[in-house]
Amino acid sequence: MTVLHIYDESDAMAGRYVEMLMQASQALVSESSLFDEPCVMYACTNAKDCRQLTDEHHPDILHLHGASVPFTLPAGLRLVVTPHGDTLGPVRAYVVVARSPHEAESLQRQFPRIETVRNPLITRTITPETCARQMAAIYRRVMNSDVLPLMDTETLRLMTAALVVATYGDTRWLPSTYHFSAENTNFRQLYLYATNEGVLPLVLQGLSMLGIKAAEPLSLGEKEGGLVDCYLPAGFTQPQPMPVATISELLAHIADEGPSLLRLSELARVLHSDNVDEEKLQEQLEDSGRLSLLASLLPLLAEHLLLTEGFMPCAPSEGPATQQLRNLLAKRQEI
């Protein structure tokens, strides 16, 4: 994990704070409980250095100190902001870090995600080492959040393979043309995403069926309710299994709650089974108005569960409704 600190050169306090934080963090790198991987920090105060450090070290997080910097920040990286008492304008940050509960209360009116880390340069209630530990926890939380856009192709393909064999109960249902590899898989990201989506048991079962001896899920800093310690959109809930649900019940749940990988897996399993009264089910789906929803879901079942055969009471529909469902699924954890 690489963090690039950015501050205005004229802000002496922010400069001292960044220097303190970098020194304290470096002294604590040897603590295995502090970082899941080494945390490397850089700092800059001008556009040239910012571009050079970004190009050379590809930071994961930009930590902005103060209300603004005299140049445009690089796009596409995760932003953390410490205002240092300045008044912040609109900013799209993963989290804003306050220096005191009073400042946090003030910022809460404008930003949904506030963390408080006292500044050891202005108070004796915290040491530089504790400050570094608390900041490291925030960085981990940021990198644990919405990991789907961070997952590479190999990780996504392995997740699909594991879900397919666990859902259908046999590795023979995985097409021979579907290639995947565990060699370069980011298992931490896979476990993080699968945990929040409620499919980690399926993923672990599938990996075992595929003969992949993956690392055991690391401590993901789980919060109450089994969710990963990360930032999630308001109202996010982890899907819970519906192991004996009918197709009609699953479709009704998707209509109310939106699509999730767990619901798609359960729907694919039922459609794939031989215990379906096709004539009766088709009549029920038509009467309930759910047939069009199933038609829109079928392309997603093909993409995520490789469902190309089984009970198909209607033809797949690739239209605006399907794209909306696809977007909802992809952005379930987006903040």
Side-chain angles (χ1 to χ4, degrees), residues 53 55 98 111 136 138 145 147 239 246 258 263 285:
L53 290 169
D55 291 342
F111 300 101
I138 291 172
S145 303
V147 297
T246 65
R263 292 292 165 263
L285 294 178

Side-chain angles (χ1 to χ4, degrees), residues 162 165-166 171 191 201-214:
V165 299
T171 58
Y191 293 156
L202 282 172
V203 167
L204 295 177
Q205 178 187 350
L207 292 176
S208 177
M209 293 172 66
L210 291 169
I212 294 174
K213 295 182 179 179

